[in-house]
Amino acid sequence: MKRKITGIFLCLLMSLAFLLTGCDLFPKNYEAYLNKSVCTITYADGTKEEITTEAFINAYNSYGSSLVQQGTSYEDAAEQTVDILINRYVLLNYAKTKITLTDEDYRSIYDEVYSSLVSNLDSYEEEVRDDWSMEAPSSPEDEEEDDVVVYTPYEPTAKVVFENGEYKIMLLDTDDEPTTNFSSIEQIIQEFNSYANPNDGTNNSKIKKEAYRRLISTLKKNEEGLKLSTDSASVLKRYVEKLTKSVEENYYITNLEEYYKTEDGYSTITVRQVLNKYKTLMLQSKFKYESNNETYDTAMLESFKDVYYVVDDNYFFVSHILMEFSDEQKNEYDNLQSEYEKGYISQGVYQQRLVELVAQIKAQVRDDNGNIIENTNVKASDVLTSLQKELASANTDEKKAEIFNKYMYKYSQDPGTLNAEYMYVIGNETSQMVESFTDASRELNEEGVFGNISGLVASEYGVHIVFYGGNVENLFTIDDMNTFELKDEDIEKLTNTKLSALNNKTVFDKVFELLSDDSYSVFENMNLNVLKKDLTIEKHKSVYENL
């Protein structure tokens, strides 16, 4: 399963938060001060665990300070920070009795630690560049990074199987492979020292070395008064060890989540629970939107992802390929619109000049990796002709969607359609799209043929080729909200229905994700309550109330 830090613990990846964010609560680094207990946890077997002032400061800077910025008093923020830490310590203690981290886990842990070190150094590099009034070097790759978008198929985490006369949910292995070969803290330090201390004599090398010096200097300041060795190698090693311990703890907690989601390779979530979740979402949508047309219309057009039941058949899906104007072409389009609206030119002249403008539009071409191919712009009309020919040869809706998807990622400049769960939604009577786009879409809807495309449609954004994705329809009809039920075999409809014809994520995938997140949150809270019953928790408020 993919790694996913549980919500309340995400902010507590305690990698010396005060190192980068600063710490108003941290007057001096005295050892006794850092080790002072803000809370004592006594477990059922009599063992005790202390939450130290140092742990509190880290957590407060990651979590509590943001509460204060939102208006929470320091007292309440401090109290919530201690409660978060108690939950973390208790759950971590329990996780270590259930989970054994593997060599693969540790390779991933070391990879995260190294990435954090590099990220910390990068922050200091920015500081040095500002102090020295030097700009970071740019590269063509950096300039194009925001433009690189490739089709990324959804990676399901589970699938439904029918075994021994019943439907079950089998979990799929989606672990990412570790990206480094680090097998020890020593290797991390060696690689980081090489990275941070290049010897090529360039300005970038000098900046990196100064950033490294400042990082080590900050680490030493944070250890003042602790009676520890002060040589740079020892200071860095202690920091890396502390960072590794923090990441390791998060792995125990996230692995505990996976532990409770899995039973012999199958999900602890049942098919019946998925169906009941979907049923509840449908009923909630029906109840909410049947009584409020305005809210319904807004939800359909703006955030269809939150609509699970449509109360009429007045909406349909579209996507498009957008080929943007150049600045010069945009000015020409705006001037043309202005002249026509003011009556300076006739409709015939307007249409003729618009056709001439559209004929000038060229599409940027991307390769399979999403990079723009230089000097290979293609006329919008040629893109349209080529797409029409390929679609004409397609004999299934799935093939039409596949062909359009290929063209969209090759030519389109609208990021809102790329790797989106849903296509755009347009209503027969309402729309949030520009008029020309809406009119072309409605013409396709009148034809009602999935996969049909428009000609070249000009708007203030450029030129569009609109693709018709069919009506927005319900999977199931609710005649009576009091008696509506879903049968076990209905799960097949959820698994076979995509959220959009242009991606592979299904209704089942979406509902399972929602239920998986919800169920673990419920489990986590219940489990913590059970675990805490056998504990004695003593908060030392006098320690943290006046920090």
Side-chain angles (χ1 to χ4, degrees):
M1 304 294 289
K2 284 188 175 178
R3 303 279 174 204
K4 182 177 63 174
I5 305 295
T6 308
I8 64 172
F9 298 111
L10 181 59
C11 61
L12 295 177
L13 183 58
M14 296 181 289
S15 56
L16 293 180
F18 55 84
L19 174 67
L20 297 178
T21 63
C23 182
D24 296 334
L25 304 178
F26 200 54
K28 292 184 178 179
N29 288 318
Y30 296 130
E31 185 171 9
Y33 174 82
L34 286 177
N35 290 326
K36 205 166 187 178
S37 176
V38 300
C39 182
T40 303
I41 303 172
T42 305
Y43 294 97
D45 61 1
T47 60
K48 293 186 177 183
E49 190 167 23
E50 305 291 344
I51 300 178
T52 65
T53 303
E54 181 180 10
F56 174 82
I57 289 170
N58 276 287
Y60 183 87
N61 276 292
S62 295
Y63 176 73
S65 59
S66 64
L67 295 179
V68 172
Q69 291 172 5
Q70 297 167 18
T72 304
S73 68
Y74 168 75
E75 291 75 15
D76 288 343
E79 196 68 27
Q80 290 185 51
T81 300
V82 172
D83 288 339
I84 286 280
L85 281 169
I86 292 170
N87 288 344
R88 177 182 175 85
Y89 276 55
V90 171
L91 203 57
L92 179 62
N93 180 273
Y94 180 67
K96 288 181 177 179
T97 68
K98 298 291 184 181
I99 303 300
T100 300
L101 296 183
T102 65
D103 290 342
E104 183 178 340
D105 286 326
Y106 276 103
R107 288 198 300 273
S108 297
I109 288 169
Y110 294 143
D111 179 45
E112 288 189 27
V113 170
Y114 182 77
S115 296
S116 294
L117 283 172
V118 171
S119 178
N120 289 353
L121 188 68
D122 288 345
S123 298
Y124 281 96
E125 282 192 53
E126 291 178 14
E127 178 185 291
V128 174
R129 290 183 189 281
D130 288 342
D131 291 346
W132 291 1
S133 300
M134 298 180 67
E135 294 184 359
S138 61
S139 65
E141 289 76 13
D142 294 334
E143 294 172 0
E144 293 180 4
E145 186 173 355
D146 291 340
D147 294 324
V148 176
V149 182
V150 297
Y151 176 54
T152 307
Y154 173 76
E155 190 173 3
T157 59
K159 70 175 182 179
V160 175
V161 296
F162 189 74
E163 295 180 353
N164 301 321
E166 65 174 334
Y167 291 97
K168 301 174 71 174
I169 299 174
M170 178 182 290
L171 293 174
L172 303 175
D173 184 8
T174 58
D175 267 348
D176 296 325
E177 291 296 324
T179 56
T180 69
N181 294 315
F182 296 125
S183 59
S184 68
I185 288 176
E186 288 70 26
Q187 282 187 346
I188 295 173
I189 294 173
Q190 182 179 358
E191 179 67 22
F192 180 67
N193 280 326
S194 297
Y195 171 79
N197 294 283
N199 293 308
D200 54 18
T202 62
N203 285 335
N204 289 335
S205 173
K206 295 175 183 177
I207 290 170
K208 198 174 288 290
K209 286 184 176 181
E210 173 61 15
Y212 180 81
R213 186 195 68 77
R214 293 188 185 189
L215 170 63
I216 298 299
S217 177
T218 303
L219 293 174
K220 288 181 179 180
K221 287 179 182 178
N222 286 330
E223 291 186 342
E224 285 179 359
L226 298 183
K227 300 179 182 179
L228 298 171
S229 54
T230 58
D231 62 286
S232 297
S234 298
V235 171
L236 179 61
K237 183 177 181 182
R238 284 193 294 272
Y239 175 54
V240 175
E241 288 173 343
K242 189 171 291 189
L243 189 56
T244 302
K245 181 175 182 292
S246 177
V247 179
E248 180 187 62
E249 288 174 353
N250 279 295
Y251 266 69
Y252 272 111
I253 291 171
T254 53
N255 280 5
L256 182 65
E257 178 178 348
E258 304 303 339
Y259 175 84
Y260 277 101
K261 284 182 177 179
T262 308
E263 189 174 282
D264 296 327
Y266 294 91
S267 174
T268 53
I269 297 171
T270 66
V271 165
R272 175 44 51 189
Q273 287 174 313
V274 173
L275 291 170
N276 286 342
K277 177 71 172 180
Y278 189 59
K279 168 191 167 183
T280 298
L281 293 169
M282 291 174 66
L283 291 173
Q284 288 173 342
S285 280
K286 181 177 173 65
F287 178 79
K288 178 178 180 180
Y289 296 127
E290 278 189 333
S291 59
N292 194 321
N293 290 334
E294 185 175 346
T295 300
Y296 172 61
D297 186 62
T298 299
M300 291 294 289
L301 300 178
E302 286 187 353
S303 55
F304 178 74
K305 64 183 179 63
D306 297 321
V307 178
Y308 292 90
Y309 193 82
V310 296
V311 298
D312 56 40
D313 57 359
N314 292 326
Y315 299 86
F316 56 92
F317 292 115
V318 294
S319 190
H320 73 137
I321 295 169
L322 171 64
M323 293 159 279
E324 293 179 338
F325 288 134
S326 66
D327 291 341
E328 181 180 345
Q329 291 165 343
K330 179 64 166 65
N331 289 335
E332 185 177 347
Y333 177 82
D334 290 342
N335 292 335
L336 180 59
Q337 293 295 111
S338 178
E339 289 178 27
Y340 178 61
E341 290 169 1
K342 292 177 179 179
Y344 296 162
I345 58 176
S346 66
Q347 183 177 10
V349 172
Y350 167 76
Q351 292 291 351
Q352 178 59 37
R353 287 174 56 183
L354 185 60
V355 169
E356 292 172 355
L357 175 59
V358 169
Q360 301 172 26
I361 308 303
K362 292 185 178 180
Q364 293 181 318
V365 184
R366 289 181 171 82
D367 60 22
D368 292 341
N369 295 318
N371 297 307
I372 296 173
I373 305 173
E374 294 184 4
N375 303 318
T376 55
N377 291 348
V378 177
K379 286 184 177 180
S381 56
D382 290 341
V383 174
L384 175 62
T385 300
S386 177
L387 178 57
Q388 287 171 329
K389 287 182 179 179
E390 286 206 43
L391 288 173
S393 67
N395 52 15
T396 65
D397 289 351
E398 185 176 359
K399 186 62 178 177
K400 291 178 184 178
E402 179 185 329
I403 291 169
F404 184 80
N405 221 28
K406 178 181 69 174
Y407 274 75
M408 184 171 68
Y409 282 90
K410 189 172 184 177
Y411 298 110
S412 185
Q413 292 173 275
D414 177 12
T417 61
L418 305 179
N419 291 313
E421 283 193 351
Y422 293 97
M423 298 187 201
Y424 291 136
V425 175
I426 291 181
N428 293 329
E429 299 177 359
T430 56
S431 173
Q432 294 190 347
M433 301 299 183
V434 294
E435 184 177 358
S436 58
F437 186 98
T438 297
D439 290 344
S441 299
R442 287 175 179 162
E443 286 181 14
L444 292 172
N445 187 48
E446 288 179 7
E447 297 170 1
V449 180
F450 179 91
N452 274 9
I453 60 173
S454 69
L456 299 178
V457 180
S459 79
E460 61 194 83
Y461 299 104
V463 173
H464 314 261
I465 300 175
V466 184
F467 176 90
Y468 180 67
N471 287 329
V472 179
E473 299 175 338
N474 292 310
L475 284 183
F476 307 95
T477 300
I478 301 176
D479 295 320
D480 186 336
M481 294 180 66
N482 294 318
T483 61
F484 175 69
E485 291 293 344
L486 292 174
K487 302 183 292 293
D488 284 357
E489 53 266 31
D490 288 332
I491 195 67
E492 294 187 9
K493 202 164 190 178
L494 270 64
T495 60
N496 293 326
T497 303
K498 297 178 181 179
L499 300 181
S500 165
L502 301 181
N503 69 29
N504 64 320
K505 188 173 184 178
T506 67
V507 176
F508 165 77
D509 293 327
K510 183 175 182 178
V511 178
F512 179 77
E513 282 182 357
L514 292 172
L515 191 59
S516 183
D517 291 342
D518 290 347
S519 66
Y520 186 73
S521 295
V522 171
F523 154 76
E524 187 176 77
N525 290 330
M526 292 176 59
N527 194 32
L528 280 168
N529 289 335
V530 171
L531 293 174
K532 287 180 181 179
K533 285 183 178 179
D534 296 326
L535 307 181
T536 300
I537 298 173
E538 182 184 2
K539 296 180 181 179
H540 311 303
K541 292 189 177 183
S542 60
V543 176
Y544 60 84
E545 277 184 341
N546 299 311
L547 284 177

